[in-house]
Amino acid sequence: MSKDSDPYLKLDHIAKSFQRGSTTTEVLRDIHLSIANGEYISIIGHSGCGKSTLLNIIGGLTPVTKGAVLLQNREVNSPGPERAIVFQNHSLLPWLSVYDNVAIAVNKVFSGRKSRAERDEWIKHNLALVHMSHALEKFPSELSGGMKQRVGIARALSLEPKILLLDEPFGALDALTRAHLQDSVMEIHSRLKNTMIMITHDVDEAVLLSNRIVMMTNGPAATIGEVLTVPLARPRDRLALVSDATYTQCRAAVIEFLYARHKAPSLVA
Ligand SMILES: Nc1ncnc2c1ncn2[C@@H]1O[C@H](COP(=O)(O)OP(=O)(O)OP(=O)(O)O)[C@@H](O)[C@H]1O
Ligand SMILES: [Mg+2]
């Protein structure tokens, strides 16, 4: 039974090692974190430290070696529609239209609960959330990178996930498209109030979007080095924040962690 005092999502002393022949690589060690319902968490850390591994563990795609992921006090160790993942490389099915790429997820999860007309409305509603209503019949090859990413986000949202897991969702996009999508994600988060966990390499993106930023130490055996709370009110406006002292302080704290105290291994002299 879950109690009110229990965290919504708990990463309970998670460790992960990969085995290759007789060699064991310890990637994550003692990852411990409680996340509240509706929080926006960013995970930041140098390349190869184990961020994707951690996200895949939360998504139930990778088994833990030690510890557990607890969602409302229940262990989750396999994928489920309540935890949707958006990958960095937009994973749309190229032979399906924008509409059908979302429909395939909706039909799978809601076929017993929603009528055909309700599902059609729901598919269109989610594509409208990411401003893609004008391209329902288009195929992935006809879309820009940002548009494909938006469809990927719509597909993930259409599952009504309690938790949306985003692995560098804007990594491959140009700066303007990236800013636009960040704004869309903030808008969706404020409207749906779901829990978001996002991996990023971008310090400004982490500060702009997050309630808390989880900073990871370098691998092997990476763990959480520090967790920074971002006490900025919402809605947040990127232009106004440029000259905001709290924003600047948060930014400086993350940069200090990543580039002074925990330099990328290849950059340490
Ligand atoms: N299936 C696997 N088998 C063996 N080793 C793996 C496997 N998946 C990941 N690793 C190793 O675990 C470490 C962490 O990888 P991971 O992809 O989680 O890093 P990351 O922090 O997401 O990096 P990046 O920022 O470059 O995406 C790496 O050393 C990687 O080689
Ligand atoms: Mg990764």
Side-chain angles (χ1 to χ4, degrees):
M1 270 298 279
S2 70
K3 300 188 294 286
D4 284 349
S5 57
D6 288 330
Y8 183 64
L9 180 71
K10 186 168 179 182
L11 310 181
D12 192 7
H13 300 286
I14 289 172
K16 178 69 192 177
S17 298
F18 287 107
Q19 190 84 34
R20 189 161 217 249
S22 57
T23 319
T24 304
T25 315
E26 189 181 10
V27 175
L28 297 172
R29 180 185 288 178
D30 202 28
I31 301 281
H32 194 66
L33 185 71
S34 292
I35 298 172
N37 193 5
E39 256 196 297
Y40 200 117
I41 299 280
S42 285
I43 301 175
I44 201 162
H46 292 292
S47 183
C49 73
K51 303 178 297 296
S52 295
T53 303
L54 181 59
L55 204 78
N56 289 339
I57 287 173
I58 302 171
L61 300 173
T62 300
V64 294
T65 308
K66 272 192 213 153
V69 177
L70 302 169
L71 175 60
Q72 294 180 303
N73 227 17
R74 278 189 188 189
E75 181 167 2
V76 288
N77 50 20
S78 56
E82 79 289 350
R83 284 159 290 133
I85 307 188
V86 176
F87 296 98
Q88 176 174 9
N89 46 356
H90 8 260
S91 48
L92 301 182
L93 297 171
W95 59 89
L96 293 180
S97 67
V98 163
Y99 178 94
D100 286 336
N101 261 286
V102 179
I104 197 167
V106 169
N107 290 338
K108 192 157 180 221
V109 174
F110 293 107
S111 55
R113 281 183 280 157
K114 285 187 196 287
S115 69
R116 190 181 248 275
E118 282 166 344
R119 275 181 273 148
D120 174 62
E121 198 182 318
W122 181 238
I123 293 159
K124 289 178 178 156
H125 166 77
N126 280 283
L127 283 163
L129 274 181
V130 296
H131 308 290
M132 283 299 291
S133 302
H134 62 287
L136 299 183
E137 300 310 322
K138 289 209 162 142
F139 285 86
S141 61
E142 302 173 273
L143 304 177
S144 70
M147 290 161 98
K148 281 188 241 186
Q149 203 59 335
R150 267 149 53 192
V151 179
I153 292 171
R155 184 176 56 186
L157 286 173
S158 74
L159 300 171
E160 271 190 329
K162 291 177 181 163
I163 300 175
L164 188 58
L165 303 167
L166 305 146
D167 192 348
E168 297 190 45
F170 319 121
L173 307 174
D174 67 274
L176 280 179
T177 309
R178 191 178 180 123
H180 185 72
L181 264 190
Q182 288 166 348
D183 289 341
S184 309
V185 167
M186 276 197 286
E187 185 189 309
I188 289 165
H189 178 240
S190 77
R191 208 178 315 168
L192 304 184
K193 310 221 175 328
N194 53 352
T195 307
M196 307 261 203
I197 304 177
M198 174 182 79
I199 296 174
T200 181
H201 278 118
D202 183 325
V203 177
D204 286 294
E205 177 170 288
V207 179
L208 178 67
L209 297 177
S210 313
N211 295 99
R212 286 189 296 157
I213 302 173
V214 172
M215 295 180 264
M216 298 199 36
T217 62
N218 295 324
T223 193
I224 296 175
E226 250 176 66
V227 180
L228 177 80
T229 299
V230 182
L232 293 167
R234 294 181 189 270
R236 295 176 182 172
D237 178 273
R238 69 176 64 244
L239 282 178
L241 287 178
V242 172
S243 53
D244 184 292
T246 308
Y247 179 85
T248 314
Q249 278 160 15
C250 289
R251 199 174 176 278
V254 180
I255 289 174
E256 218 257 326
F257 179 94
L258 287 177
Y259 301 105
R261 279 179 291 143
H262 296 274
K263 275 188 199 161
S266 57
L267 303 177
V268 178

